[in-house]
Amino acid sequence: MFLTRFRLNTARPGTRRLLSSPQTLHAAVMSSFPHILPTDTPAPGAPRVLWRLDQEARAEILLYVVSPDRPDLTHLVEQAGWPAVATPDAPGWQTRPYQSFLDRLASGGRWAFRLTANPVHTIRRKDGEPRKITAHLTPVHQMAWLLDEKRQNRAGFRILEKPDDRRTLPSGTTHKGHPHHGDRYELTVADTRALAFGKPGQDNSTSRNKVTLVTVTFDGRLEVTDPDTLRRTLTQGIGRARAYGCGLLTLAPLPRQPTP
């Protein structure tokens, strides 16, 4: 497994084209693996190519890719990077082996995390109608999606609770029946976006042929409950729309606490 980071040059027209459609960016990411054909489908339960965009500042947009094989992002450097300064030693992206990090995960370990996901649920508007997949639109419901106990168990982690002295609201504060809401958990919704883009090779003049989805970026802190399950989560993703930049969970060390 490999973890790759690529900074997009926001001044390039190619970058704007890639950012305009997750479908286009997904195709560019998959083109980084010459042995993967466009028609290939990952085997059930196998590691897959996951990617995510992080916007740290207006002109700092980072593409992260987790993949079973080492990618070649030369075409992305030419379209959306800094090709004039690329060298064999510094090709314009950074790729690091990921497996050793995965192997070090242990039960009880605590990490900061980031996840961009597509939180959805199914609803039935009228009796007798089939259930329809619908996006969660409010932060309280989006957080509830990730805080669902069954979802966390399937992912191999639990999201940490804040200590009482770090809560703004009183302990146990709820909101419309959602006991997780307020300051109880180490979880924030950093970014919510509603996306609509066309499908390649189709008439996209009508909404019927367009893909629409809501993406949410979560930041928070978690504890490992099942290392093997979490390893699968980190290499297979969480939730839907993984081809469109959703599902990639990444971990980072927690800040060190000051010594008393």
Side-chain angles (χ1 to χ4, degrees):
M1 297 299 301
F2 296 89
L3 174 63
T4 298
R5 185 179 73 170
F6 170 72
R7 183 184 173 194
L8 287 88
N9 184 345
T10 56
R12 301 287 299 275
T15 297
R16 294 190 287 272
R17 182 178 65 84
L18 290 171
L19 296 179
S20 68
S21 168
Q23 182 80 51
T24 301
L25 184 50
H26 173 70
V29 169
M30 298 308 294
S31 295
S32 305
F33 305 93
H35 65 286
I36 299 179
L37 299 176
T39 55
D40 288 348
T41 301
R48 58 186 297 164
V49 177
L50 302 169
W51 61 272
R52 186 183 77 219
L53 284 175
D54 285 4
Q55 184 160 357
E56 305 296 340
R58 184 173 181 180
E60 187 179 357
I61 301 178
L62 303 174
L63 170 67
Y64 289 93
V65 181
V66 166
S67 57
D69 302 299
R70 185 182 291 272
D72 180 353
L73 272 59
T74 303
H75 62 296
L76 280 175
V77 174
E78 294 170 349
Q79 296 175 50
W82 286 267
V85 298
T87 67
D89 293 331
W93 70 90
Q94 300 85 41
T95 296
R96 299 288 184 268
Y98 200 36
Q99 191 61 51
S100 59
F101 171 78
L102 297 174
D103 292 340
R104 292 197 304 270
L105 293 174
S107 183
R110 295 188 170 195
W111 301 86
F113 74 87
R114 174 168 288 182
L115 166 70
T116 294
N118 172 224
V120 297
H121 63 133
T122 59
I123 61 171
R124 181 182 287 118
R125 298 185 185 278
K126 296 180 181 179
D127 291 341
E129 286 187 350
R131 299 186 71 86
K132 181 180 179 181
I133 298 174
T134 305
H136 286 301
L137 300 179
T138 64
V140 63
H141 290 100
Q142 291 161 350
M143 287 193 292
W145 176 87
L146 186 58
L147 287 162
D148 178 76
E149 185 175 350
K150 292 181 179 179
R151 190 180 312 281
Q152 292 186 69
N153 288 339
R154 290 195 302 267
F157 64 79
R158 72 174 183 90
I159 296 175
L160 296 173
E161 295 190 24
K162 291 181 180 179
D164 286 344
D165 61 1
R166 290 188 52 233
R167 298 186 188 184
T168 304
L169 300 175
S171 178
T173 297
T174 63
H175 177 76
K176 296 182 179 179
H178 294 280
H180 60 273
H181 190 63
D183 277 342
R184 181 176 175 184
Y185 288 95
E186 297 274 13
L187 180 65
T188 61
V189 173
D191 190 20
T192 299
R193 299 189 181 194
L195 304 177
F197 50 94
K199 299 178 182 178
Q202 296 189 19
D203 177 10
N204 294 297
S205 58
T206 64
S207 60
R208 179 179 300 178
N209 290 331
K210 289 187 177 181
V211 177
T212 60
L213 68 151
V214 174
T215 67
V216 178
T217 298
F218 298 100
D219 286 318
R221 298 183 177 190
L222 60 77
E223 179 178 281
V224 181
T225 57
D226 187 328
D228 289 336
T229 300
L230 181 56
R231 291 183 191 104
R232 288 196 297 271
T233 299
L234 293 171
T235 57
Q236 296 176 22
I238 299 177
R240 301 171 62 90
R242 299 179 204 184
Y244 301 133
C246 296
L248 174 55
L249 174 73
T250 53
L251 306 180
L254 291 173
R256 290 187 177 182
Q257 298 297 322
T259 303

